[in-house]
Amino acid sequence: MEKAAYRWKSIPVAMAGIAAVLMVPLLPDYAVTLATSIIIYSIYVTSANLLTGYTGLVSLGQAMFWGSGAYVVAILTTRAHVTNLYLIALICLVTVVLLSAFFGALALRVKRLYFMIVTFAFGHVVWCIAMYPMQRITFGYDGIKDIARPYLGFSLSTASGVSFYYFVVMVAAICFFGMRLVINSPFGHALVGIRDNEHRMMALGYNTYLYKYISYMLSAVIAGTAGALFAYFNGYVNPSELHWLWSGDALMMMFIGGVGTFWGPLWGALAYTGLRYWLSSYTMYWFGIEGIIFICVVLFFRGGIAGFVGNLRRRLSGGSTEGR
Amino acid sequence: MAEALKVDSLYKNFGALQVVRDLSFSIPAEERRVVIIGPNGAGKTTLFNLISGELPPSGGAIHLFGRDVTKMPCYRRTRMGLARTFQITDLFPYFTLMENLLLALQAHDPCAYQMLRPLRSYGHLYEKAEKLLRQMKLWEKRDFAITALSHGEMRLVELMLGIAGGPRILLLDEPTAGLTRSEGVWLANMIQNLLKDVTLLIIEHDMQIAFALAERIIVLHQGAIVADGKPEEVRTNPRIKEIYLGTVS
């Protein structure tokens, strides 16, 4: 009963949100560009959130999938002159699934801290491979430039900033919707169970390894999608997209936004990118300020922005502020 | 008659410490309530961990319904109809009571890997949960956070998670731990009435409850069986008195 009432109340909020997203192109060009990047990042952070927030696996290898997605797009469009977006998407998907199937099978043999270290190492291996042995294809440090925006067919072009923005919003909506389905499903319920008490899940008859493996691959596919979008958005890809620092950024955005909350990744990407944009126009030490903010969030706002907003909403509607 | 469970010269060492040594017993499928007693450190819980597959044995074999499961992972043994509860309540703290129960119920449902349909749409799981909750008189508290329940209620939830999957063998590790005598007796009755078709293997510290429940009693001491038989036989066994009263053995 209460939940239904809550749902009715959230309709205006959802409408306002959708309206805000759709009306971004009324703003100046730089704002549209900024919004596009925020949405792409939020997809990326969602992938980390599925793995860390919902399954309880802290990975430092998300950039591996983001970067793979980006490189597949870059190489196919500039070197192989493939222009069909759908073919590229398919090849991206296959690449990311194969990569995650391979690395996931290895990394999930260990748990907790060791899992994090192993994913970090794998990510770094992939970065090194892109940098050196594959230098002739990836151009190493120089990266690949001049990636053309995709053509969607039906005479829909995404060449302009605004049309590309809508394209990104559409893909993001699909990703978020898919994420929602997964979280609310029995599968998602089991993932959270594994996060909270894996040992008991095994005793209940769950093949927890398989669940974690599927979650790892799903998260890789989402990260790869975000990476591919980024390659089109940026028009330029370099090895920093594969670097573990970018994996760390995913975790940072996730913590700022709210770990294990559905909208947390969007909040996190918004705060992180917005702050970076704003701070970097004042000081070159924005990195340090970002770090301080991150520490404050971890120390004082465990639930991140999403947790804070949730508490606020509950307080305003007169309910208790305690968690369920 | 087929054996529900057969343990064959089982060993478990933790380093130099021998916790379970040369343990053999079998439980026929028609046997209902076997109670394992023994002083602290006798290896009772370790034996459960070996049977359920949480620990690999150092030697010996375990058969479940005539099948060798010694190397089988925990979750597959559960699929075969083995379930357990834990001595130290081991639940999902961030879920409500209902969500805890659904987690146990969906594990054995074909929907366990379904990721595109909401859990809420599986009415039959909710019906099963409701039935179980009503039996345990916890239906009113279904939306409570698990941490808001009393210790006794948590013990009940622990039991419910064990029986939710409809097991054929259930290992109950001190189901009445931390309960008052009257609560313990109530729970023991509940177990007796609710689980008529399940083979129960119960670790119990309360002797009164143990003897009231048991069809058969196995006494463990220092990782080995010292007595195995009907309650009255065990009660009169002089060796048992020695172990429990602490005389030099």
Side-chain angles (χ1 to χ4, degrees):
Chain A
M1 292 292 212
E2 246 172 72
K3 267 185 184 164
Y6 192 70
R7 202 172 277 180
W8 281 114
K9 262 189 211 164
S10 58
I11 284 181
V13 179
M15 303 247 287
I18 292 169
V21 168
L22 292 182
M23 284 182 350
V24 162
L26 298 178
L27 299 171
D29 277 351
Y30 79 90
V32 177
T33 309
L34 202 62
T36 311
S37 67
I38 288 169
I39 293 173
I40 295 174
Y41 294 164
S42 73
I43 301 174
Y44 175 52
V45 182
T46 294
S47 82
N49 196 28
L50 176 62
L51 200 58
T52 308
Y54 289 97
T55 320
L57 296 166
V58 183
S59 163
L60 266 179
Q62 278 314 88
M64 170 161 68
F65 304 119
W66 159 280
S68 312
Y71 266 106
V72 167
V73 168
I75 292 167
L76 285 180
T77 50
T78 62
R79 313 293 305 274
H81 301 293
V82 181
T83 48
N84 188 326
L85 174 69
Y86 305 100
L87 181 63
I88 292 174
L90 186 69
I91 297 172
C92 260
L93 184 72
V94 172
T95 311
V96 170
V97 166
L98 288 180
L99 267 178
S100 61
F102 177 69
F103 287 116
L106 294 173
L108 286 168
R109 297 180 67 85
V110 292
K111 288 180 178 166
R112 294 187 198 92
L113 187 60
Y114 301 97
F115 175 79
M116 191 173 94
I117 299 300
V118 168
T119 52
F120 161 72
F122 286 155
H124 213 61
V125 167
V126 171
W127 177 80
C128 286
I129 291 173
M131 279 288 287
Y132 306 108
M134 287 178 69
Q135 199 171 17
R136 285 185 47 206
I137 305 171
T138 63
F139 300 124
Y141 257 129
D142 297 337
I144 300 173
K145 57 183 193 310
D146 298 329
I147 302 163
R149 292 271 165 91
Y151 179 70
L152 304 183
F154 315 110
S155 59
L156 285 170
S157 159
T158 56
S160 81
V162 170
S163 59
F164 187 72
Y165 171 79
Y166 283 125
F167 172 64
V168 167
V169 166
M170 194 186 70
V171 176
I174 295 170
C175 288
F176 275 89
F177 181 70
M179 180 76 181
R180 189 104 209 171
L181 280 183
V182 171
I183 290 168
N184 287 332
S185 70
F187 179 82
H189 193 48
L191 288 187
V192 180
I194 291 169
R195 178 192 74 186
D196 291 344
N197 196 345
E198 182 171 359
H199 158 82
R200 185 60 195 248
M201 288 297 276
M202 285 197 257
L204 286 177
Y206 285 95
N207 181 357
T208 56
Y209 178 86
L210 189 57
Y211 276 88
K212 290 191 289 185
Y213 193 45
I214 296 173
S215 166
Y216 187 78
M217 289 205 275
L218 275 180
S219 131
V221 168
I222 301 174
T225 308
L229 281 179
F230 180 78
Y232 280 127
F233 164 68
N234 208 28
Y236 167 67
V237 169
N238 78 18
S240 68
E241 311 309 340
L242 284 165
H243 200 268
W244 65 269
L245 276 173
W246 182 232
S247 304
D249 280 338
L251 295 182
M252 202 147 142
M253 285 188 252
M254 185 176 66
F255 273 102
I256 292 174
V259 187
T261 59
F262 185 75
W263 294 113
L266 186 60
W267 291 118
L270 184 74
Y272 187 83
T273 316
L275 261 176
R276 184 168 276 199
Y277 182 80
W278 180 62
L279 285 175
S280 62
S281 63
Y282 288 101
T283 165
M284 56 185 294
Y285 299 114
W286 50 273
F287 242 106
I289 297 174
E290 229 171 53
I292 292 167
I293 290 170
F294 179 64
I295 290 167
C296 288
V297 167
V298 172
L299 285 182
F300 305 115
F301 299 97
R302 279 290 172 78
I305 300 172
F308 183 72
V309 171
N311 268 342
L312 206 67
R313 270 174 78 175
R314 246 167 282 151
R315 203 172 296 182
L316 288 178
S317 62
S320 82
T321 50
E322 267 176 71
R324 275 188 307 166
Chain B
M1 190 65 206
E3 278 147 342
L5 176 68
K6 189 172 151 216
V7 171
D8 204 7
S9 60
L10 204 61
Y11 282 87
K12 181 66 195 178
N13 312 324
F14 292 116
L17 186 69
Q18 222 168 32
V19 182
V20 169
R21 52 181 119 180
D22 198 15
L23 212 65
S24 300
F25 65 88
S26 70
I27 298 174
E30 69 275 7
E31 209 157 31
R32 281 297 163 259
R33 294 180 303 277
V34 180
V35 175
I36 298 178
I37 61 172
N40 285 331
K44 302 183 295 290
T45 298
T46 305
L47 173 64
F48 269 24
N49 285 338
L50 293 172
I51 297 173
S52 71
E54 265 144 291
L55 289 175
S58 311
I62 300 164
H63 295 262
L64 213 55
F65 307 110
R67 231 174 116 187
D68 188 347
V69 297
T70 316
K71 296 223 155 62
M72 201 182 260
C74 194
Y75 71 90
R76 286 189 53 202
R77 298 186 201 197
T78 310
R79 288 274 160 80
M80 287 180 65
L82 177 80
R84 73 167 295 183
T85 68
F86 292 86
Q87 178 181 7
I88 298 156
T89 308
D90 193 15
L91 305 169
F92 299 91
Y94 299 108
F95 281 153
T96 63
L97 172 52
M98 187 61 151
E99 287 167 334
N100 265 269
L101 202 49
L102 287 171
L103 209 48
L105 286 166
Q106 74 175 52
H108 301 270
D109 200 85
C111 76
Y113 284 98
Q114 171 62 258
M115 50 176 92
L116 298 178
R117 231 180 99 179
L119 176 60
R120 246 177 291 116
S121 69
Y122 290 92
H124 67 285
L125 292 180
Y126 283 82
E127 278 160 29
K128 278 188 199 169
E130 178 172 351
K131 194 170 155 233
L132 214 54
L133 284 165
R134 286 198 190 279
Q135 270 170 344
M136 296 289 182
K137 302 190 179 10
L138 282 172
W139 173 245
E140 271 70 42
K141 299 197 169 175
R142 61 189 177 277
D143 288 329
F144 276 43
I146 211 77
T147 44
L149 299 180
S150 73
H151 176 78
E153 287 165 339
M154 284 201 215
R155 294 307 297 169
L156 276 183
V157 179
E158 182 70 40
L159 177 67
M160 279 153 81
L161 291 195
I163 62 180
R168 288 193 284 167
I169 306 179
L170 179 59
L171 313 178
L172 295 168
D173 195 346
E174 286 201 44
T176 64
L179 299 184
T180 62
R181 170 57 61 75
S182 64
E183 283 174 328
V185 170
W186 181 81
L187 188 63
N189 282 331
M190 183 74 112
I191 290 170
Q192 219 159 353
N193 295 330
L194 209 60
L195 302 167
K196 289 211 171 81
D197 310 319
V198 184
T199 298
L200 300 174
L201 200 57
I202 309 164
I203 296 177
E204 184 54 71
H205 260 285
D206 189 317
M207 285 303 137
Q208 213 166 324
I209 292 176
F211 278 93
L213 263 178
E215 284 177 351
R216 171 181 168 192
I217 287 187
I218 296 174
V219 187
L220 280 190
H221 184 48
Q222 295 176 348
I225 294 177
V226 291
D228 181 353
K230 297 222 172 322
E232 48 279 16
E233 292 166 23
V234 171
R235 202 195 298 268
T236 51
N237 188 332
R239 182 95 167 87
I240 310 306
K241 284 185 185 150
E242 244 176 58
I243 291 169
Y244 271 95
L245 296 177
T247 24
V248 186
S249 54

